Each structure stands twice: as C-alpha cells, then as structure tokens.
Amino acid sequence: MGNSESNESAAVKRQAEGGSTPMYEILDLKGGGTLFYITKRAMIKKDYKELDEAIKAKVQPYLYNGGQGKMVPIAQLTMLRNRDRSKSKQV
C-alpha cells in the first residue's frame, strides 16, 4: 500500500532527531529539552517566574526583530499566501 506518514512529516522528525539544530535543545519532539523541564518544575511549584524568564531569554533569538514583530499590510500577506497555494485555493 502506501506510507502511513507523509514524506514531509518524516523529514521533520529526522531533522529533530539529528540534534544539529540548537532550537531542539530548547524543546524537542520527544518530550524533552530545557523548557520542558523548567515547565515541569514550574507546574509543581506553581511559580512560573523562572519559566517566563527562560522563554524570554531562550526563545527571543528565534523571533523576528527580537520578538517585536513587524507590521505587514494585509495585501502583502495575501500575496505571500497565494504564492504558496494552488490556483484553485487562492483568495
């Protein structure tokens, strides 16, 4: 028959298993990583201050403009979305 999972999801899993991406040290697909253990501790203690600080410190480098984001006109978002869609699904 066919594969039970798509090639795309298999590629994502293989990428995470390699451990070459620093982001997966923060949180991985196997239920581990720095944030996982900090979250577990925070839930037990009912004190989320350490978790909030860890998220701000560890996740911020992966965000656009240090987490400040960017204002993008809706027309530009629509063009970007349509670029990746098939003709029948374009808006």
Side-chain angles (χ1 to χ4, degrees), residues 20-33:
S20 61
T21 307
M23 186 181 296
Y24 291 119
E25 293 174 8
I26 296 172
L27 196 62
D28 62 26
L29 297 175
K30 297 177 185 175

Side-chain angles (χ1 to χ4, degrees), residues 30-78:
K30 297 177 185 175
T34 308
L35 284 182
F36 175 78
Y37 298 112
I38 293 173
T39 303
K40 200 172 177 180
R41 254 194 329 265
M43 290 175 70
I44 291 169
K45 292 181 184 178
K46 305 283 189 227
D47 181 18
Y48 296 93
K49 185 177 179 182
E50 180 187 7
L51 178 61
D52 291 339
E53 292 171 0
I55 290 172
K56 287 177 186 173
K58 295 179 184 295
V59 176
Q60 190 174 19
Y62 298 101
L63 300 177
Y64 181 81
N65 195 17
Q68 298 302 313
K70 178 181 177 182
M71 296 299 290
V72 180
I74 291 175
Q76 185 178 355
L77 288 174
T78 304

